[in-house]
Amino acid sequence: MAKKKKQKPNVAKIYADNPAALAHKALDAFQRFPNKAMNYKQVGAKMGFSPKQVKAELNDILKVLEKEGKLIQVSRGQFKLKYIEKYATGIVDMTSSGNAYVVSGQTEEDIHVKAGNLMHALHGDEVKVLLYARRKKHRLEGEVVEIIQRKRDTFVGIIEMSKNFAFLVPDSRRMQVDIYIPKDKLKGAQHGDKAIAKMTDWPEKASSPFGEVLEVLGRPGEHEVEIHSILAEYGLPYHFPDEVEIEAKKIASPITDDDRKGRRDMRGVTTFTIDPVDAKDFDDALSYRELENGNLEIGIHIADVSHYVKPGSILDQEAIERGTSVYLVDRVVPMLPEVLSNEVCSLRPNEEKLTFSAIFEIDRQAHVKKRWFGRTMIESDRRFTYEEAQAIIEGGKGDLKEEILTLNDLAIKLREERMSNGAITFDKVEVKFKLDDKFEPVGVFFKESKEANHLIEEFMLLANREVAAFVGRDNKSGESSGKTFVYRVHDDPDPAKLSDLSNFVKQFGYNVNTKGRRSISQSINSMLKEVKGKGEAHMIETLAVRSMAKAKYTTQNIGHYGLAFPYYTHFTSPIRRYPDVLVHRLLQDYLDGKKSPAPGPYEELCEHSSDREKVATDAERTSVKYMQVKYLEKHVGEEFDGVISGVTDWGVFVELKDNMCEGMIRIRDFKDDFYLYDEKNYCIIGETTGRIYRLGDTLRVKVKAADLEKKQIDFQLVYQRG
């Protein structure tokens, strides 16, 4: 007996009594293809129906949707989703796939842009984006319709020669295309040279931009070539323009009576500096004097850079452009010429110096009784290194021992008060390389903050806090004074990131309380203290830092969450940070009784300074990565113990315990199984064995390769027998 043919459901009948459901399903089909014009047959197919089943119903529904303004009829029987064109501007954040996200303050989330819709936009460019009609439960998408401003037009890379032309292959992974360079624009560059090229044109239909070589750096792998590559990659200058150096030398003259006018003379008070052993720019000093009432007068004296660097001068313009000094592994790229940073402004011992000071009367319990701000002149009696000061703290012997021991006792009390108020402390270990005279890394050492570091830190924090409160808070009402000022702010942590951190650390037996400001900070501090010295310490410290908001400069005060200060600024390092120069100028204006200026220009300088700070941080990290690769070049084939510090869908990052160098084991290099990435739990899982490798796990690895050009270290897992 033949089987009866199974009949398809009568869709027309199903939807006859529910046209709204059919309209909803039809509209969803258009939203899935927002730029496509479709007739009823195509719509039916997208809905999964036979067009005959819903012909009449669909025709009627499409006309109704047109009347409602949800569709437009572009030609007879052809309909398209109607939406009001919406645009947003933002910054391109390129991914390794070639697609990008546009980060815009005008949308609730980042805008996803496919590679083919970027219109030649590159990482960091400011662009205008046409937003696509949003499909339910789908990410926000769009296409670039205008490049408002290029982030950069010069790139560092390797020259690859062909018969009649060449390409510059950029070092940056964010730069997805090579730059085409005609042979007459090579400036003598040879195949394999590292060079800086400028992008001059990008024809609409060309797959690559056209460019020309600006400078040939040399052969890859050579130390100076690689460091200059890093400087060029981040737009950091090798030297100061001649006119800037000339102006700096003009003001490097002896201090005159006119310079001393109106200054408080502190030259007879015991004063000293404590700095790193290799420091040359001493921008802060402490003075110490016992008062008749038993209290102490503690002065925080800061190099008076604003006395020398006048608004609008060539020096000022150069300092604004640089924004900050940059500390690479083997050199400093200073904000100010060395004649100022290392000589005129540097608070060197036994030399009269002009300073801007915050002077406090403090009782023995570290409570501030009085404060005074103003211009001073000092003469430092002694220059201490951190190691020398630490030896006095630990041994109780040495120059100015009473002063240092008393200041250390006060610093401990100031720190305890901060912590009890909800401050968070990240005492991360810093990796330093021992370099020989050819800048080759011959060893690694770890730099930890000890009492001497905390001593200086606490008094700098005190000065920064009190200066900010003096300007920002109205003494009578206790509310904001409304005066324009430059603050260093730090927002509350992102709740989602905190929740992720809390869930992750539970597997190690730690707890982060995510409710209440004080509870959050206390539980994080407790966790950081408990994890110290353990294998997972660095990884958990890093994740904790990432859960925090980023500090920035702004004229809009919201307080500093990490320090638990309602008012905070940067007053103490004008030799190396431009915002501190602005703080000195504004503070002096208010001390002189001047009116508050308009905030607009200062906010622009704050944003620029925050941007320059990020560039400096990225450049410093890149230089450390370069030195890590250079160090492990000599150890290829050797085995080390390491800890998994990161997990991605293409590999596992491992940080070596001996030297904190970080490299990757690629997913394809795991030989015992095929591993899948579990993003939520920061791990990879073997498909067959179920074996798990997660953040914090200890591994034995072999250095497989160290690529200087890519600044990349590859590890290979050493499988343990048994």
Side-chain angles (χ1 to χ4, degrees), residues 512-530:
V512 172
N513 190 329
T514 59
K515 293 181 180 178
R517 270 177 145 237
R518 186 71 62 87
S519 300
I520 291 168
S521 58
Q522 287 178 345
S523 64
I524 288 177
N525 282 331
S526 177
M527 177 188 70
L528 293 173
K529 188 176 181 180
E530 195 177 346

Side-chain angles (χ1 to χ4, degrees), residues 622-641:
T622 300
S623 76
V624 169
K625 186 67 180 180
Y626 156 71
M627 199 56 74
Q628 288 180 342
V629 177
K630 201 170 186 182
Y631 178 73
L632 285 186
E633 241 188 350
K634 304 177 182 68
H635 298 278
V636 171
E638 294 182 24
E639 294 183 9
F640 295 88
D641 288 323

